[in-house]
Amino acid sequence: MGTERQQGKPYQRFLFPELEEDLRHGTAGEGGTGPGVREESQLPAASDPARALTERLMEEVIRLSNLSKALDRVRANKGAAGVDGMAVAELQPWLAEHLPELTRSLQDGTYEPQPVRGVQIPKPGGGMRQLGIPTVIDRLVQQAILQVLDPLLDPTFSPSSFGFRPGRGAHDALAQAQEYVSEGRVIVVDVDLEKFFDRVNHDILMARLSRRVADKRLLRIVRRFLEAGLVQDGVCVSRQEGTPQGGPLSPLLANLLLDDLDKELERRGHRFCRYADDCNIYVQSKEAGARVMASVSRFLEDVLHLRVNREKSAVAYVAERKFLGHRLLSGGRLGIAPKSLERAKDRIREITRRNRGISLERMICELNSFLTGWVTYFRHAACKSHLTELDGWIRRKLRCVRLKQCKRTKALKDFLHRQGVCLRNAWIAALSGKGWWRLAGSPPAAEAMSNQWFESLGLVNLVQRYATLQV
């Protein structure tokens, strides 16, 4: 299932093959199924997610093939242990012993999730993000539920929603935003939701889910996942709102809740792109933008009980704001947002710290892993000049590291001389008394560690990599 989701294939038909046949012959809903794990499905096709035909979704959840796919997905995602300390590697042996007990508790609706382990990580823009790490067993159950609910819910979501959806991603959202800007909608209403995942109202979310799902057992278990306590610093805190990031179900439930916002924006005829809780609405004037911001904020706060961050939300020209790490330029062109460049530099600084005590080869390997993914993500942005500057800065950082590894004057002279610097210039550089950063920018350092030398060590050249991605 994981591979099929990533590739955006219409995998929903796999889940409901039999009832499609029943629907064609008019026999759907006649008769029932026995208890236990089933290999056959008698549930509605994703193209017809009628609530009345979703009363036995839990039987779909506990199908052996569905649980097997969920297990593969949880193992592929790896991740840390939850409050019970069970590692992902221990999940399969546990299932071999406890599968009948697990499926029985799911089928009769008695399954009780354990509390999630709370972890706070720094957000790129400042502040802390609350994560909730479920136990691996709970992650398995959530993944199994996700694999059944996603084909039912996702086809009903707005085409302007792109986050955490099969066959859709950040570049699709950016492409649509480019179209809007190229049409002359150069003002963006950038709506920022304050701690969205921490403030989801459980009652409102469950009301939205019960519109689509009739299986009360599944609804009860989803509610229990939402209300499971959060263990932070050894204290278990009950939760009355929120769906902390970290569980497989959270993105789907977030999209379900925010689909009300999408439908409202569509009803009003707005052009917008939403990626998870990041929503940009494109208009043609600041006056229109101010009206949209006011009305959308009222809708979010009064109807969905979410809080708009007034400080981070804004009505501005598109070039003044960022969307998914990019800037939208005139004519709909893409650039890299300044903050994205700064975050990339921060990561490079972290990797190339001179006191890490690792070899230059290992440092380059870590850099390559980061840089390759980073430049691939920004491949559609007009950023060649930024990449040229970044390439030079990275090489200087690495020269600095290599020079400091020499430690002593004679060792520094010997290294420079071995790399082709004449003996006189090698001694002058080694005895200069300059700091490592200044020395790394000197002609002898550039001669000893040329661009070709870095290429021989396998360092990714961002400009060249970017050029190959344009073909």
Side-chain angles (χ1 to χ4, degrees):
M1 183 70 70
T3 302
E4 292 167 326
R5 281 176 55 82
Q6 292 167 359
Q7 294 175 347
K9 295 179 180 178
Y11 61 91
Q12 54 262 44
R13 289 192 178 180
F14 173 83
L15 287 175
F16 310 114
E18 290 220 348
L19 198 66
E20 290 181 357
E21 187 70 21
D22 291 343
L23 289 170
R24 281 195 293 271
H25 292 86
T27 58
E30 298 177 5
T33 58
V37 179
R38 297 190 307 116
E39 285 300 331
E40 295 79 18
S41 173
Q42 296 187 3
L43 296 175
S47 60
D48 182 22
R51 184 179 181 279
L53 296 175
T54 61
E55 292 182 348
R56 299 190 65 80
L57 283 182
M58 191 56 73
E59 277 64 38
E60 189 67 31
V61 171
I62 65 175
R63 282 176 59 214
L64 189 57
S65 57
N66 189 52
L67 290 173
S68 177
K69 288 181 180 294
L71 173 62
D72 290 342
R73 186 67 173 174
V74 170
R75 288 192 298 189
N77 289 339
K78 299 179 181 178
V83 294
D84 62 353
M86 181 187 289
V88 172
E90 301 174 68
L91 182 56
Q92 187 169 9
W94 184 91
L95 276 177
E97 184 177 351
H98 298 281
L99 180 59
E101 176 187 340
L102 174 65
T103 56
R104 188 162 48 249
S105 66
L106 289 170
Q107 191 172 32
D108 62 23
T110 60
Y111 182 84
E112 289 285 350
Q114 296 189 61
V116 298
R117 181 164 68 88
V119 177
Q120 290 194 333
I121 60 172
K123 295 169 69 174
M128 303 297 289
R129 174 176 286 119
Q130 179 70 62
L131 298 183
I133 303 175
T135 65
V136 291
I137 299 170
D138 286 342
R139 294 211 291 271
L140 172 78
V141 174
Q142 286 196 34
Q143 181 64 36
I145 293 173
L146 173 68
Q147 291 168 179
V148 172
L149 287 183
D150 207 16
L152 294 173
L153 301 180
D154 186 82
T156 70
F157 292 158
S158 168
S160 294
S161 166
F162 296 91
F164 309 112
R165 298 186 61 188
R168 289 168 167 260
H171 290 124
D172 301 303
L174 289 164
Q176 184 163 304
Q178 285 180 273
E179 287 183 21
Y180 295 151
V181 175
S182 65
E183 293 170 357
R185 302 174 191 279
V186 295
I187 303 296
V188 61
V189 180
D190 188 351
V191 181
D192 185 274
L193 294 174
E194 185 176 324
K195 296 184 177 179
F196 166 71
F197 283 91
D198 298 335
R199 300 192 186 282
V200 170
N201 184 287
H202 292 172
D203 292 333
I204 294 175
L205 175 57
M206 291 306 301
R208 270 55 179 176
L209 184 58
S210 63
R211 291 175 185 170
R212 325 279 185 92
V213 173
D215 193 325
K216 293 182 179 179
R217 297 164 301 173
L218 189 144
L219 293 172
R220 276 198 300 269
I221 289 175
V222 170
R223 179 110 196 186
R224 287 171 191 162
F225 275 122
L226 291 173
E227 295 177 346
L230 186 141
V231 177
Q232 191 100 37
D233 300 323
V235 178
C236 185
V237 180
S238 62
R239 289 189 291 137
Q240 306 303 319
E241 62 180 6
T243 170
Q245 295 166 269
L249 266 178
S250 291
L252 177 65
L253 296 178
N255 274 334
L256 175 63
L257 181 63
L258 290 175
D259 188 56
D260 274 22
L261 170 63
D262 299 340
K263 296 298 193 292
E264 179 65 15
L265 293 176
E266 289 175 348
R267 187 184 68 80
R268 299 180 186 184
H270 290 308
R271 304 291 186 269
F272 70 98
C273 296
R274 183 177 65 78
Y275 193 95
D277 58 335
D278 195 352
C279 183
N280 280 4
I281 307 165
Y282 298 91
V283 296
Q284 294 178 315
S285 70
K286 284 196 172 183
E287 292 76 13
R291 291 194 298 271
V292 171
M293 176 66 82
S295 62
V296 168
S297 297
R298 282 196 302 272
F299 177 84
L300 287 166
E301 293 176 349
D302 295 346
V303 178
L304 298 184
H305 292 198
L306 298 172
R307 190 177 301 172
V308 175
N309 190 322
R310 309 288 177 178
E311 294 181 2
K312 294 185 178 180
S313 299
V315 177
Y317 286 101
V318 289
E320 299 173 7
R321 306 293 293 180
K322 67 180 180 70
F323 182 48
L324 301 175
H326 292 71
R327 268 199 318 159
L328 282 155
L329 308 174
S330 60
R333 294 178 303 117
L334 287 177
I336 301 180
K339 286 185 178 179
S340 298
L341 279 171
E342 280 307 309
R343 282 202 293 270
K345 285 189 171 184
D346 288 343
R347 179 65 181 136
I348 293 166
R349 289 187 186 100
E350 185 181 337
I351 294 172
T352 58
R353 285 198 324 270
R354 283 171 268 166
N355 60 354
R356 290 191 64 197
I358 64 173
S359 68
L360 189 69
E361 290 74 17
R362 181 179 166 188
M363 191 173 285
I364 287 175
C365 185
E366 291 183 21
L367 265 178
N368 285 348
S369 179
F370 168 72
L371 294 174
T372 301
W374 185 83
V375 75
T376 300
Y377 179 73
F378 287 103
R379 64 186 181 274
H380 298 306
C383 57
K384 187 175 179 180
S385 61
H386 291 307
L387 298 181
T388 301
E389 181 183 343
L390 202 55
D391 268 332
W393 182 73
I394 290 168
R395 286 191 292 266
R396 185 170 178 179
K397 294 284 289 181
L398 291 173
R399 289 184 186 115
C400 190
V401 170
R402 183 63 186 89
L403 292 174
K404 188 182 179 186
Q405 288 177 346
C406 294
K407 295 184 179 178
R408 299 180 183 278
T409 301
K410 184 176 182 304
L412 178 55
K413 178 270 298 182
D414 290 342
F415 169 73
L416 293 174
H417 188 49
R418 281 197 311 272
Q419 292 297 114
V421 179
C422 72
L423 188 60
R424 179 176 179 277
N425 287 345
W427 270 117
I428 291 173
L431 294 169
S432 67
K434 294 178 180 178
W436 298 115
W437 181 248
R438 286 187 63 198
L439 190 58
S442 66
E447 182 182 353
M449 294 171 279
S450 65
N451 294 1
Q452 291 73 24
W453 184 74
F454 282 115
E455 186 177 338
S456 70
L457 293 177
L459 177 66
V460 167
N461 184 298
L462 291 175
V463 173
Q464 292 179 3
R465 178 74 177 175
Y466 175 75
T468 61
L469 292 168
Q470 305 308 301
V471 178

